[in-house]
Amino acid sequence: MEYDYLREHALHALLISDPKTKANYIKQLHQQGPWQVGADLAIQEPSQGVPGRPQKPDIVPPQQVKQRSLNTPEGRATLLHALAHIEFNAINLALDIIWRYADMPDAFYGDWLCVAYEEVLHFELLNQRLKTMGYVYGDFPAHDGLWDMAERTKHDLVARLALVPRTLEARGLDACPVVRAKLAQAGDEDSAAILDIILRDEVGHVALGNKWYHWICLQKDLDAVLLYPDLAEQYRAPRLRGPFNLPARRAAGFQPEELDYLEKQAQLKN
């Protein structure tokens, strides 16, 4: 592999558009480590191609992504495709946080490489399941809410940690059990089993978001709990609605006062 430092490799992987090629590159990175991190490198952002994407799926506004009944094979495939797109975005998000932000401890970059690797495994599980149903990733439109927030926060690591892993990705902790139950009720135990794996791993991913958010707030003498509402307002984060998977959120490191804030926000009227 032609680069000397992990952060250079992460940017290269981020720019790869073919999902299979991207996945294989990340697996090699994960398996061939430990790498020199290059935490002090000043890496220039490419003028285009961030992140690398396949030609399909078509990216559309969220309201144009249709929801179908899970009682039909196509409806379940549509749901699994949406989840695969989330996982593909999550791969890119982990790569982006590695290359974009300099001067963090080596453990920061190693943690997010592990996240990228596990997101690859999730994506492959979902895409393989789609193939058994006669579909592949790219067959349905998708929206880009996760990456939109990454773009908004790209100049502020504190905001990125607060609003991507701890907010948007943490929604998966709440949604996974609900979606899993619906798939099981529809008789799709194979797909439901994939959701079990994803939830298990996503607790750890959100926990890393919490870990590094609180770490960097401590370094900057910021109150992590009091800062969060200001960041959510400044960067137009969606207000999360319950019910919340409180056991999973506690396992992921959310503090009691943070969970109280979530519950109060969910009760507010539009």
Side-chain angles (χ1 to χ4, degrees):
M1 303 177 96
E2 60 183 290
Y3 300 102
D4 293 327
Y5 298 102
L6 175 59
R7 290 181 58 228
E8 294 176 314
H9 281 291
L11 178 56
H12 177 77
L14 181 67
L15 298 177
I16 296 172
S17 58
D18 177 64
K20 184 174 181 179
T21 304
K22 187 190 294 277
N24 288 338
Y25 196 94
I26 294 166
K27 288 178 181 179
Q28 289 182 61
L29 281 181
H30 185 260
Q31 292 164 6
Q32 293 181 16
W35 295 94
Q36 295 184 82
V37 169
D40 59 347
L41 290 181
I43 303 176
Q44 185 174 357
E45 181 169 4
S47 59
Q48 58 186 5
V50 180
R53 304 177 185 274
Q55 291 185 340
K56 294 285 187 176
D58 294 328
I59 304 300
V60 300
Q63 59 271 22
Q64 292 184 21
V65 178
K66 296 180 180 179
Q67 295 185 353
R68 296 179 173 89
S69 170
L70 296 187
N71 291 322
T72 68
E74 185 180 22
R76 293 192 292 278
T78 302
L79 170 63
L80 294 177
H81 186 277
L83 295 175
H85 184 66
I86 289 171
E87 298 299 329
F88 187 74
N89 262 325
I91 295 168
N92 286 330
L93 289 167
L95 296 171
D96 189 76
I97 207 170
I98 293 170
W99 86 262
R100 185 176 295 280
Y101 302 104
D103 300 319
M104 291 291 286
D106 285 1
F108 174 87
Y109 304 102
D111 282 348
W112 293 108
L113 176 59
C114 289
V115 171
Y117 173 73
E118 289 181 353
E119 303 292 18
V120 162
L121 301 183
H122 298 169
F123 175 80
E124 290 180 334
L125 284 170
L126 290 163
N127 202 28
Q128 185 57 45
R129 179 64 184 145
L130 280 170
K131 288 178 181 178
T132 67
M133 302 169 75
Y135 301 92
V136 295
Y137 177 61
D139 281 351
F140 301 98
H143 71 80
D144 233 10
L146 268 175
W147 191 259
D148 288 345
M149 182 58 75
E151 278 292 312
R152 286 183 223 165
T153 59
K154 67 182 181 180
H155 299 301
D156 185 346
L157 177 56
V158 178
R160 167 68 68 89
L161 290 166
L163 301 177
V164 176
R166 299 180 71 252
T167 300
L168 297 187
E169 293 187 87
R171 294 165 99 176
L173 304 184
D174 308 319
C176 257
V178 177
V179 174
R180 190 228 184 274
K182 290 181 178 179
L183 287 168
Q185 187 176 21
D188 192 345
E189 290 291 347
D190 289 338
S191 297
I194 295 173
L195 269 290
D196 290 334
I197 295 170
I198 291 175
L199 178 59
R200 178 199 68 198
D201 293 343
E202 291 299 334
V203 169
H205 300 173
V206 176
L208 288 177
N210 270 316
K211 167 188 170 181
W212 289 110
Y213 173 69
H214 285 276
W215 182 89
I216 199 169
C217 284
L218 184 64
Q219 303 306 305
K220 294 177 176 288
D221 198 25
L222 299 169
D223 187 312
V225 175
L226 293 179
L227 178 62
Y228 177 81
D230 293 338
L231 292 173
E233 181 178 1
Q234 178 182 350
Y235 290 98
R236 307 187 310 280
R239 178 155 55 88
L240 303 186
R241 304 181 185 280
F244 300 109
N245 186 348
L246 295 180
R249 284 181 173 268
R250 291 188 190 103
F254 284 98
Q255 299 178 5
E257 54 268 41
E258 293 176 307
L259 297 177
D260 289 343
Y261 170 79
L262 275 181
E263 296 280 14
K264 289 175 182 176
Q265 285 295 105
Q267 293 169 11
L268 294 176
K269 295 182 179 179
N270 292 332

